[in-house]
Amino acid sequence: DLQMLRDAKITLEDLLWHYVYTTEFAWQVIEPQEGNPTAKFFTILDLKGVKLFDLVGDAIAFLKNAVSISQDHYPERGSKIFIINAPFFFKRAFTLVKPFMAEATLEKMEVHAKNFHQALLKDIDADVLPKRYGGNSEESDDNVPFERLLRYTVGTRLLKSGAVLTGADGEPDEQSTDALKRFVAEFEKEQAKQLTPEDSQGTITESIGTDDN
C-alpha cells in the first residue's frame, strides 16, 4: 500500500534498506550459504492496487533498485522473480526498468496479470505458499516463522539500545514499545518450551564457555 507508506513517511531509501536487511537476514541467519550452498529464493512482487502514477514514481524506482541489488550482489541466489496482478499498463512502464537489468535476470522473470496460481505452484511448495496465491498456508504474513524471528532479532536490538519507537506523527509511541516488549517476552517463552534438556545445557555451555583448554 504505497499511500500508507507515504502517510507513515517511509521513503524509498527506507524500503531499499529494509529489502537489503531482510535479504541478508535470510542468507546469514535462516539459510547460511555454508550450510546449504545451493539454496535459492523466489521473489513475488504483488502489484495489486498499484496505479499508473505509482509505476512512474516510487514503485518503478523500487523495482529498478531492488532488481539491481539482487543481480549485482546475489546473482546465484535468485531463482525466479514473479510479478503478479500486473495491471494492463505495466508492460509500458516496465520498459523504463528493462535497460538496467541483466539478460540473466530477465530470463528469471515471469509477469502475470490474474491467472498466476498455477505458475507459482510449479516452483513453490503449496504448503509454504499463502492461500491468496493459490497455496495451502493459512499463516498471516506477520506470523510466519521467518517474520517472527526477524521481528524478534530487530526488536531485541532496539530495546537493548534504548531506541525510542515513534508513531506516524514522529512522536514517541509507548504503546508500540510495550507491544514489542510483550512480543519479545512471548517469543522467548515459546523458544524455551521447544528446547530439550540437552539443548538447554548446550546453550548454557556456549554462553559461559569451558575450561577444557
Side-chain angles (χ1 to χ4, degrees):
D1 189 330
L2 291 174
Q3 188 56 51
M4 179 184 71
L5 294 174
R6 293 189 187 102
D7 291 342
K9 299 179 180 178
I10 294 175
T11 66
L12 175 62
E13 185 178 4
D14 294 332
L15 287 176
L16 289 170
W17 272 110
H18 177 73
Y19 173 75
V20 171
Y21 189 94
T22 53
T23 303
E24 283 293 319
F25 187 81
W27 297 131
Q28 298 294 333
V29 179
I30 302 297
E31 199 70 68
Q33 189 166 13
E34 58 270 19
N36 190 358
T38 62
K40 296 182 181 295
F41 64 83
F42 295 89
T43 300
I44 299 176
L45 296 176
D46 190 349
L47 300 185
K48 185 176 182 180
V50 171
K51 301 177 177 60
L52 178 59
F53 72 87
D54 292 323
L55 279 180
V56 296
D58 289 343
I60 206 72
F62 175 79
L63 178 60
K64 182 174 71 174
N65 282 279
V67 167
S68 177
I69 291 169
S70 179
Q71 68 184 17
D72 291 346
H73 300 284
Y74 314 101
E76 302 303 322
R77 287 293 209 168
S79 181
K80 276 192 177 180
I81 301 172
F82 295 97
I83 298 176
I84 62 174
N85 287 315
F88 69 92
F89 47 80
F90 175 77
K91 285 187 177 180
R92 178 169 293 183
F94 188 60
T95 58
L96 301 173
V97 177
K98 236 177 167 181
F100 299 93
M101 299 174 65
E103 189 62 33
T105 301
L106 289 171
E107 291 174 357
K108 297 175 183 178
M109 297 186 71
E110 289 188 19
V111 180
H112 300 275
K114 298 296 181 184
N115 302 316
F116 53 81
H117 297 105
Q118 289 305 313
L120 295 180
L121 288 169
K122 285 180 181 179
D123 291 291
I124 303 174
D125 193 294
D127 289 337
V128 299
L129 188 66
K131 275 197 168 183
R132 66 180 182 279
Y133 293 149
N136 300 327
S137 177
E138 296 184 355
E139 291 183 311
S140 66
D141 291 342
D142 293 335
N143 205 43
V144 295
F146 173 90
E147 290 293 341
R148 287 176 59 79
L149 181 57
L150 176 62
R151 185 182 178 192
Y152 171 77
T153 303
V154 175
T156 51
R157 292 182 179 180
L158 287 173
L159 294 174
K160 287 179 179 178
S161 71
V164 177
L165 302 185
T166 59
D169 57 1
E171 295 297 320
D173 188 344
E174 292 184 6
Q175 289 186 340
S176 293
T177 301
D178 291 341
L180 182 58
K181 288 179 179 178
R182 288 195 299 272
F183 169 78
V184 167
E186 290 170 2
F187 186 91
E188 290 178 345
K189 286 182 181 179
E190 291 172 5
Q191 296 304 302
K193 288 180 182 178
Q194 295 175 18
L195 291 176
T196 64
E198 291 78 10
D199 292 331
S200 299
Q201 182 62 40
T203 301
I204 294 172
T205 301
E206 290 176 6
S207 299
I208 62 176
T210 63
D211 295 325
D212 292 343
N213 296 327

